[in-house]
């Protein structure tokens, strides 16, 4: 370096390069922690250890006309399921019988998706979904507060078939 400013610039560049390397390693580790079930059509799948392959985060992606069952056993032992994501699925159902460690399920860009909660679940994050139905043993609002934009959600007096009655863009409490 010819000056203190140039030395400082070189030092900053090296630190940035190291930070980018660590970030890439972190992203790779996160990706390796996810078990993905993708592109399935018209199937019923009971997710077990074989599907998870020792991983603790489940991603359901680009599936159509499927039913996914998460049995109670996935929420027990040292390899408990941490989080569940559903992305770009159409006309699918997810039955959560197990305890999810973070008590969190994210549903993103899904169409006519049913989430049937049979165990404790505190947070459902829904982004860009059409006709999402959430069925719960106990109303989610009693367990985890009310939705942020309550005006966008409906709660029927008498549960109906959510996939036939939910309007596009609506979350139906059942």
């Amino acid at each position: 370096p010819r000056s203190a400013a140039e030395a400082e610039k070189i030092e900053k560049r090296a630190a940035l390069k190291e930070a980018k390397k660590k970030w890439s390693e972190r992203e790779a580790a996160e990706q390796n922690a996810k078990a993905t079930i993708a592109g399935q059509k018209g199937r019923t799948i009971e997710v077990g250890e074989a599907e998870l392959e020792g991983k603790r985060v489940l991603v359901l992606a680009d599936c159509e006309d499927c039913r996914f069952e998460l049995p109670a056993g996935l929420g027990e032992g040292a390899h408990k399921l941490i989080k569940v994501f559903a992305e770009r699925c159409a006309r699918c159902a997810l039955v959560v019988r197990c305890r999810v460690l973070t008590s969190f399920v994210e549903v993103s860009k899904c169409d006519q998706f049913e989430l049937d909660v049979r165990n404790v679940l505190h947070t459902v994050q829904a982004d860009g979904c059409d006709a999402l139905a959430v069925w719960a043993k106990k109303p989610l609002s009693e367990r985890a507060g009310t939705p942020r934009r309550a005006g966008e959600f409906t709660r029927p007096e008498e549960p109906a078939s959510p996939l036939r009655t939910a309007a596009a863009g609506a979350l139906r409490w059942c």
Side-chain angles (χ1 to χ4, degrees):
R2 289 178 269 190
S3 67
E6 189 177 339
E8 185 179 332
K9 211 181 226 184
I10 291 171
E11 189 178 310
K12 281 183 181 178
R13 206 175 298 138
L16 181 60
K17 189 175 183 179
E18 183 63 27
K20 283 183 178 180
K21 179 181 173 191
K22 285 184 179 182
W23 184 259
S24 294
E25 289 170 358
R26 182 178 179 272
E27 283 182 329
E30 278 183 21
Q31 194 59 36
N32 290 336
K34 294 178 181 177
T36 302
I37 298 174
Q40 299 298 312
K41 293 183 184 191
R43 294 189 56 207
T44 296
I45 299 172
E46 183 169 315
V47 179
E49 293 299 324
E51 289 78 13
L52 291 176
E53 302 169 335
K55 299 173 182 174
R56 300 176 63 197
V57 176
L58 175 63
V59 178
L60 307 172
D62 304 306
C63 297
E64 294 178 17
D65 303 307
C66 290
R67 178 181 176 86
F68 301 96
E69 298 261 351
L70 304 182
L74 291 181
E76 300 168 358
H79 299 289
K80 292 178 185 164
L81 197 57
I82 294 174
K83 266 186 188 173
V84 180
F85 297 90
E87 304 168 347
R88 301 172 308 278
C89 293
R91 298 170 307 281
C92 290
L94 172 62
V95 181
V96 182
R97 296 180 193 280
C98 65
R99 191 170 196 116
V100 179
L101 189 64
T102 59
S103 197
F104 180 92
V105 171
E106 180 178 327
V107 184
S108 175
K109 297 179 183 167
C110 292
D111 183 34
Q112 296 183 6
F113 193 88
E114 278 190 46
L115 176 60
D116 186 352
V117 182
R118 307 281 178 96
N119 207 317
V120 176
L121 189 64
H122 291 198
T123 305
V124 175
Q125 180 176 331
D127 297 317
C129 296
D130 285 333
L132 170 64
V134 177
W135 300 85
K137 194 172 170 183
K138 214 175 171 186
L140 294 177
S141 60
E142 288 179 18
R143 292 187 282 185
T146 56
R148 283 191 184 160
R149 292 184 229 153
E152 294 181 6
F153 301 90
T154 59
R155 189 175 196 151
E157 294 300 318
E158 264 185 54
S161 174
L163 295 184
R164 285 181 289 195
T165 61
L171 172 65
R172 189 173 263 293
W173 296 99
C174 306

